[in-house]
Amino acid sequence: MQTDVRHVADGTYLVHGSNTNWVILTDGDAVTLVDTGYPGDREQVLASLAQVGSSPEAVAAVLITHAHNDHLGSAEYLRAAYGTPVYLHDAEVPHARREFLHQVTVGDVVRNGWRPGVLPWALHAIHSGGKAHVPVTDPEAFPSEGALDLPGRPVPVHTPGHTDGHAAFHLPDTGVLISGDALVSGHPTARVKGPQLLPDMFHHERARAVASLDVLAALEGDLLLPGHGPAHRGPVREAALQARERAL
């Protein structure tokens, strides 16, 4: 099966996995991989690297927006097999080690099971490794302030709420925002399409997630690459404000 890899900007590829996206940033032979899908998406992750002319050996670093299983899935595999560093916000490092887990619970799903799309999503999540134990043995905090010295020169932006250490990644030179789950454009459990927050059950602290939309609204850019849903073209500020209006 062909992996859905889309060239969306210079050196920037959005990959649609099984309900979750990841992003590949290229610079010559080297790449930065932002998020890694579910554990069950590993073959798609490796295929997507091949489709952009790269390989797991060429991944300079894995950047993780947040340590939920549908974004963390193959991070430890790449670290252990290829020595790839795995970077997160410092508040998310213990989450990646699984010293604690801020993730939607079975009880949350049961209580929301009447909502359209929730049960099919839950079955897919379980099948894809959503409940698997996939800690990163040696995750690291971002090695510097500002733009990281990695392909794409991504700038981490702390956007807490979905998790304590959630981070988006801003690419000022290309006007791209990789927003993870701080701002999405769709989800199997969502009732609307377009810029939005995920449904309430997914956020560790919803009020902080809403407040983080103001952080994103302050960023310059015209291409949103979310953790869920299609790429969204248009001012990032307007997308963030639209999501905020929908959340209130």
Side-chain angles (χ1 to χ4, degrees):
M1 181 181 70
Q2 186 81 351
T3 303
D4 187 356
V5 179
R6 307 194 181 199
H7 184 208
V8 292
D10 287 347
T12 306
Y13 298 84
L14 178 65
V15 187
H16 294 291
S18 62
N19 287 353
T20 305
N21 304 329
W22 55 90
V23 176
I24 301 172
L25 306 175
T26 63
D27 183 3
D29 295 333
V31 304
T32 302
L33 179 62
V34 184
D35 286 341
T36 66
Y38 280 102
D41 290 339
R42 183 169 303 160
E43 288 188 11
Q44 286 181 271
V45 171
L46 298 178
S48 67
L49 291 171
Q51 281 182 235
V52 304
S54 188
S55 66
E57 292 89 347
V59 178
V62 174
L63 303 181
I64 298 295
T65 58
H66 63 293
H68 285 163
N69 272 19
D70 57 333
H71 298 258
L72 195 69
S74 287
E76 174 63 11
Y77 165 76
L78 291 167
R79 190 206 65 79
Y82 300 98
T84 314
V86 178
Y87 294 124
L88 311 91
H89 187 275
D90 58 1
E92 200 72 0
V93 166
H95 196 193
R97 285 197 294 255
R98 287 297 180 262
E99 294 176 17
F100 55 84
L101 181 61
H102 291 161
Q103 190 162 287
V104 64
T105 66
V106 172
D108 294 328
V109 173
V110 169
R111 284 190 294 274
N112 288 273
W114 59 274
R115 298 180 183 274
V118 169
L119 291 181
W121 165 82
L123 291 172
H124 175 272
I126 292 169
H127 177 75
S128 300
K131 297 294 289 180
H133 187 58
V134 288
V136 179
T137 302
D138 189 21
E140 302 175 56
F142 299 129
S144 63
E145 296 287 334
L148 300 177
D149 187 18
L150 294 169
R153 300 283 295 169
V155 180
V157 181
H158 188 207
T159 45
H162 185 64
T163 64
D164 286 346
H166 188 287
F169 297 97
H170 187 212
L171 282 59
D173 292 344
T174 52
V176 171
L177 175 65
I178 303 169
S179 57
D181 284 6
L183 173 60
V184 303
S185 63
H187 191 267
T189 65
R191 297 177 178 180
V192 297
K193 296 180 179 180
Q196 61 189 282
L197 282 181
L198 286 169
D200 292 356
M201 68 176 177
F202 293 110
H203 299 299
H204 179 57
E205 292 183 85
R206 184 183 184 277
R208 293 182 81 195
V210 173
S212 285
L213 292 172
D214 291 338
V215 176
L216 298 180
L219 301 175
E220 294 291 331
D222 56 12
L223 177 58
L224 177 70
L225 304 181
H228 303 275
H232 177 82
R233 295 189 182 273
V236 166
R237 174 176 174 78
E238 291 183 10
L241 291 178
Q242 182 180 351
R244 201 180 201 289
E245 289 173 6
R246 284 174 160 172
L248 297 178

